[in-house]
């Protein structure tokens, strides 16, 4: 509070909590228990409630209104440092972008259906910068989250370019990202996902059903072992398999549409011939 809540995670609920505590006339005491202490039943219960809450499809409507007399704005001069002074100005109101919001909701829905978790948007944005992703994949995910690729409906309102939004291999189908990654008949797509599935099944019994949401949200993959603990190895394998396969399908699409533009479809069907055997590519990436 002394620093104006700058760089504070979950700023709004923390401000409301501070105001609630200041409104109390009695003394408020906090008892902190470590995870290894004998009285850790409360910690375990809190963790369980937090876990259950993260898996809910909808969140509770919690009032965060703060009475004007309890809301302190700004930061104390005695608490300012060189690190936070440039951030003292309030953040500007973000302009909503429907395409981005729709994509984020797609990812949230896909993650919830696959892993029974409902991540907040901030967690989704953080996941696309995962260290397991190459810079190229991070850039691709960022543009995909903003629906900023020049495909599909992008060409709809550009005169004499409307046909560019239609898939060359699937007559009448809009070539959006979901179509490119999941349903397009372009050579190579089915093969890539099939090889990724075969590699995954060597380590795991089942292959998750793919959707545009859990593909773009692969950085939030969550798997547990027989003991109920997170299976970090499986999560990393899945992240790499999905992200590299996704990026390879996109490269093949761009090679067909841009690199081989104007060629007959019969010649474009040999696009994948110039690539390394996909099993070798995926195996070398993972192992």
């Amino acid at each position: 509070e002394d620093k104006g809540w700058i760089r504070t995670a979950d700023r709004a609920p923390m401000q409301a909590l501070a105001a609630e505590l200041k409104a109390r006339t009695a003394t408020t005491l906090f008892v902190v228990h470590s995870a290894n202490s004998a009285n850790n039943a409360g910690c375990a219960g809190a963790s369980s409630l937090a876990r259950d809450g993260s898996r809910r499809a909808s969140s509770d409507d919690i009032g965060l209104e703060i009475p004007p007399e309890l809301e302190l704005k700004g930061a104390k001069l005695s608490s300012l440092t060189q690190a936070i002074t440039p951030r003292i100005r309030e953040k500007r109101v973000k302009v909503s972008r429907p395409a981005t919001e729709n994509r984020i909701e797609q990812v949230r829905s896909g993650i919830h259906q696959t892993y029974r978790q409902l991540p907040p948007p901030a967690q989704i944005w953080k996941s696309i910068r995962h260290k397991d992703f190459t810079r190229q994949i991070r850039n691709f995910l960022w543009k995909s989250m903003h629906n900023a690729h020049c495909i599909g409906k992008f060409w709809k309102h550009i005169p004499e370019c409307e046909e560019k939004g239609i898939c060359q291999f699937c007559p009448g189908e809009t070539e959006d990202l979901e179509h490119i990654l999941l349903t397009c008949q372009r050579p190579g797509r089915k093969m890539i996902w099939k090889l990724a599935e075969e590699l995954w099944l060597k380590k795991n019994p089942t292959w998750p059903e793919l959707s545009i949401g859990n593909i773009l949200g692969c950085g939030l993959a969550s798997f547990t072992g027989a003991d109920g603990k997170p299976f970090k190895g499986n999560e990393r394998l899945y992240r790499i398999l999905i992200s590299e396969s996704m990026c390879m399908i996109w490269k093949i699409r761009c090679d067909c549409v841009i690199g081989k533009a104007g060629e007959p479809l019969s010649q474009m069907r040999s696009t994948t011939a110039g690539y390394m055997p996909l099993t070798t590519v995926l195996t070398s990436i993972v192992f």
Side-chain angles (χ1 to χ4, degrees), residues 167-171 187 256 262-271:
C167 181
Q168 298 177 4
F169 287 84
C170 309
C256 286
E263 292 187 6
L265 290 181
S266 58
Q267 295 183 21
M268 293 173 65
R269 293 184 185 279
S270 63
T271 300

Side-chain angles (χ1 to χ4, degrees), residues 168-233:
Q168 298 177 4
F169 287 84
C170 309
E173 293 290 336
T174 301
E175 192 186 35
D176 55 17
L177 189 61
E178 185 172 5
H179 174 78
I180 293 170
L181 296 179
L182 293 173
T183 61
C184 185
Q185 299 303 313
R186 181 175 287 107
R189 184 194 64 80
K190 289 184 179 180
M191 184 194 307
I192 291 172
W193 287 128
K194 183 176 182 295
L195 293 173
E197 179 180 357
E198 290 176 355
L199 188 56
W200 173 260
L201 292 177
K202 290 181 179 180
K203 296 282 186 179
N204 301 274
T206 58
W207 170 250
E209 183 178 354
L210 296 178
S211 67
I212 189 64
N214 61 26
I215 289 176
L216 297 180
C218 62
L220 295 172
S222 176
F223 299 97
T224 55
D227 55 359
K229 296 181 179 179
F231 200 154
K232 299 297 183 182

Side-chain angles (χ1 to χ4, degrees), residues 58-98:
S58 59
S59 58
D60 295 330
D61 186 12
I62 302 175
L64 299 177
E65 297 79 10
I66 301 176
E69 63 274 12
L70 297 176
E71 184 178 10
L72 299 180
K73 297 183 179 180
K76 286 185 177 180
L77 290 176
S78 59
S79 302
L80 293 181
T81 63
Q82 289 184 345
I84 66 174
T85 300
R87 300 175 179 269
I88 197 66
R89 295 179 60 186
E90 293 290 335
K91 293 183 178 180
R92 297 179 180 178
V93 177
K94 295 182 179 180
V95 179
S96 62
R97 191 171 184 271

Side-chain angles (χ1 to χ4, degrees), residues 111-139:
I111 294 298
H112 183 258
Q113 291 177 3
T114 306
Y115 310 113
R116 295 295 180 263
Q117 297 180 2
L118 196 65
Q123 189 176 355
I124 295 175
W125 287 113
K126 183 178 180 180
S127 72
I128 68 176
R129 302 193 302 271
H130 199 282
K131 63 180 181 180
D132 288 338
F133 297 149
T134 63
R135 177 173 295 184
Q136 186 179 47
I137 290 176
R138 294 177 190 177
N139 292 339

